[in-house]
């Protein structure tokens, strides 16, 4: 059996703020169950995005929140170049910090935005990142 990425878990500071951000990105993130510090959104690709405020802190006694920089990029295919421009502009207008405005990189046309916890979100028109290729 092939090993597959099934879930990306982000340890967040404020669950409501992170839910709002990822909804602004365009994900249909559900409301959390009352009293649970976690929410899961399963994407059409089959990969789930889990936002939590306490998994690492509870289960890894050596865990500490990074003090700076970032260790990963979350790439979201959002459509054509104009869709990248619109989504980036909407997120910046909502007050989210931009790391890179829409740019033609050596690879895809892309923009980078910080989520509320400093994780970097890459918005792209890169067809290679598109999951629903049957609709292309």
């Amino acid at each position: 059996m092939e090993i597959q990425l099934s879930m990306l878990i982000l340890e967040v500071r404020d669950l409501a703020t992170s839910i709002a951000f990822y909804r602004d990105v365009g994900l249909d993130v559900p409301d959390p169950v009352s009293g649970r510090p976690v929410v899961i959104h399963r994407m059409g690709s089959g990969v789930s995005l889990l936002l939590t405020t306490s998994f690492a802190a509870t289960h890894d006694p050596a865990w500490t929140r990074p003090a700076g920089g970032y260790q990963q990029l979350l790439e979201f295919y959002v459509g054509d170049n104009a869709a990248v421009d619109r989504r980036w502009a909407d997120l910046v207008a909502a007050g989210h910090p931009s790391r890179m405005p829409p740019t033609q990189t050596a690879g895809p046309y892309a923009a980078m935005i910080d989520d509320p916890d400093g994780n970097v979100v890459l918005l792209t028109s890169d067809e290679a990142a598109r999951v629903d290729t049957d609709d292309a």
Side-chain angles (χ1 to χ4, degrees), residues 15 32-38 53-54:
L15 192 57
V33 174
S34 181
R36 295 198 61 213
V38 63
T53 57
S54 65

Side-chain angles (χ1 to χ4, degrees), residues 9 22 54 73 106 133:
I9 301 169
Y22 284 99
S54 65
L73 292 151
T133 54

Side-chain angles (χ1 to χ4, degrees), residues 47-67:
V47 175
S48 294
L49 175 64
L50 184 142
L51 306 173
T52 182
T53 57
S54 65
F55 185 85
T58 300
H59 300 287
D60 180 357
W63 181 80
T64 59
R65 190 172 299 280

Side-chain angles (χ1 to χ4, degrees), residues 2 4-5 10 13 19-20 28 70 78 88 122 130:
E2 177 187 0
Q4 299 176 359
L5 178 65
L10 295 180
R13 288 177 180 86
I19 290 169
D28 188 21
Y70 57 92
V78 298
W88 175 84
L122 181 68
R130 184 176 182 164

